[in-house]
Amino acid sequence: MDQIAYVNGSFVPMSEAKVSILDRGFLFADGIYEVAAVLDGKLVDNASHLARLERSVGEIALGLPETIDRIQEIQKELIARNNLANGMVYLEVTRGADTGRDFAFPKNDVKPTLILFTTVKDIVGAPSAKTGIGVITVPDIRWTRRDIKSVALLAQVLAKQAAAEAGAGEAWMIEDGKVTEGGSSSAFILTQDDVLVTRQNGSEILPGCTRKAVVALAEERQLRVEERAFSIEEALAAKEAFITSATLFVQAVVTIDGKPVANGKPGPMTGRLREIYVDFARATAV
Ligand code: PLP
């Protein structure tokens, strides 16, 4: 059966889900996106994703075409229509198709484009959770407002393609000798003295929803957390390394540019934080 997508007010089969070639998302990457995980048919940490959506659109002076409550209803209806048990809901809002290829915003009322679709993925049972993944390092060539979840992802496309070609699962982007974040994930290490380190939020990184939840869950369990930048040398000397994202949860990193982190196996704290996050996800999903 064809998947069902949402396009500007209608639920339609994926094969009929289309937007204009003049859409500013297509022409200028003038748009924002969000991805929320689905576990047992429910949305994980969705309030956090919707809060970030509101912030992102605010930062680019774009109004949402629906209220946040209505957007969550649309997400839920899409999950139901697609019978989705485990996977994710993708959402994108752009500044519409009303300007031709005029860089300036539409003069009159903006009619934003809002689209959503779902993807099936067994996040909890993903094999990479057991094996860990390798990461490669690439220079961070992105713009300087990475805190906005913009659909302008070309730098990440190239970074993650380079990772795939190298047989790695993610690219860690490096700026001024320090890791900013993964191509589509937040980066963490556990130091030899059991301090969890992840870069502080700011315009250099996307404020990851999973990162935020993992930091809070770790602190609640008296784990020391330092929000600061770290280098690859520090990561290679660490006890453990991992990444977080909505569609991976907590994922061990076992090599960096082919060099092992500790013994090259997923670390116990990473495994524990993954379990804690899965419990949190199940307990709070809506
Ligand atoms: N950093 C970047 C650049 C991302 O693209 C993502 C997710 O796509 C993340 C971090 C992780 O964010 P979240 O945990 O909200 O999925």
Side-chain angles (χ1 to χ4, degrees):
M1 210 185 73
D2 203 358
Q3 274 225 358
I4 302 296
Y6 174 93
V7 184
N8 291 331
S10 306
F11 291 90
V12 291
M14 192 61 112
S15 54
E16 291 165 29
K18 300 210 161 64
V19 295
S20 166
I21 62 164
L22 293 181
D23 194 277
R24 295 175 63 92
F26 179 65
L27 294 179
F28 300 122
D30 186 357
I32 298 297
Y33 76 109
E34 270 301 330
V35 181
V38 175
L39 211 54
D40 304 327
K42 290 183 177 173
L43 289 156
V44 173
D45 209 7
N46 200 42
S48 193
H49 287 282
L50 293 179
R52 188 173 61 188
L53 174 67
E54 275 195 296
R55 179 185 181 275
S56 291
V57 293
E59 291 298 310
I60 67 162
L62 173 62
L64 287 172
E66 303 286 352
T67 63
I68 287 291
D69 286 351
R70 176 65 192 139
I71 288 175
Q72 179 158 291
E73 275 173 28
I74 296 166
Q75 289 173 303
K76 287 186 174 180
E77 183 163 349
L78 203 58
I79 291 167
R81 284 181 184 247
N82 286 300
N83 260 321
L84 181 68
N86 295 301
M88 65 200 88
V89 181
Y90 177 90
L91 175 163
E92 179 170 331
V93 56
T94 77
R95 210 180 310 272
D98 287 342
T99 51
R101 202 174 165 276
D102 192 349
F103 281 74
F105 293 178
K107 286 199 183 54
N108 302 317
D109 273 359
V110 175
K111 285 193 222 69
T113 300
L114 176 64
I115 66 98
L116 290 90
F117 61 84
T118 60
T119 306
V120 175
K121 183 180 180 188
D122 179 8
I123 302 174
V124 173
S128 63
K130 291 211 174 65
T131 58
I133 58 162
V135 301
I136 62 159
T137 58
V138 296
D140 198 332
I141 60 169
R142 295 176 299 163
W143 73 329
T144 51
R145 286 303 309 276
R146 302 158 191 161
D147 54 311
I148 300 171
K149 199 163 169 66
S150 146
V151 293
L153 293 169
L154 186 54
Q156 282 114 305
V157 166
L158 297 177
K160 290 178 77 85
Q161 175 62 20
E165 284 172 13
E170 179 59 299
W172 274 7
M173 297 178 285
I174 311 293
E175 187 168 64
D176 299 331
K178 300 279 168 61
V179 176
T180 52
E181 59 187 330
S184 57
S185 58
S186 310
F188 285 76
I189 56 171
L190 181 73
T191 66
Q192 292 296 339
D193 42 2
D194 292 316
V195 180
L196 203 56
V197 180
T198 189
R199 195 173 181 120
Q200 70 280 11
N201 281 331
S203 55
E204 301 80 17
I205 64 165
L206 184 79
C209 294
T210 323
R211 171 198 177 284
K212 182 179 176 190
V214 167
V215 164
L217 292 165
E219 282 176 338
E220 279 165 25
R221 284 158 186 79
Q222 309 335 316
L223 190 61
R224 249 183 75 202
V225 180
E226 274 177 26
E227 298 190 42
R228 62 168 174 83
F230 60 85
S231 66
I232 289 301
E233 293 68 36
E234 198 177 358
L236 282 169
K239 257 189 186 169
E240 302 185 23
F242 62 89
I243 56 176
T244 62
S245 80
T247 58
L248 289 172
F249 293 175
V250 176
Q251 164 66 60
V253 168
V254 293
T255 63
I256 303 171
D257 289 332
K259 299 184 197 106
V261 176
N263 64 0
K265 301 222 163 61
M269 182 68 82
T270 302
R272 184 75 195 107
L273 287 170
R274 182 176 173 87
E275 285 170 11
I276 290 167
Y277 185 82
V278 171
D279 289 347
F280 156 83
R282 284 197 204 289
T284 59
V286 294

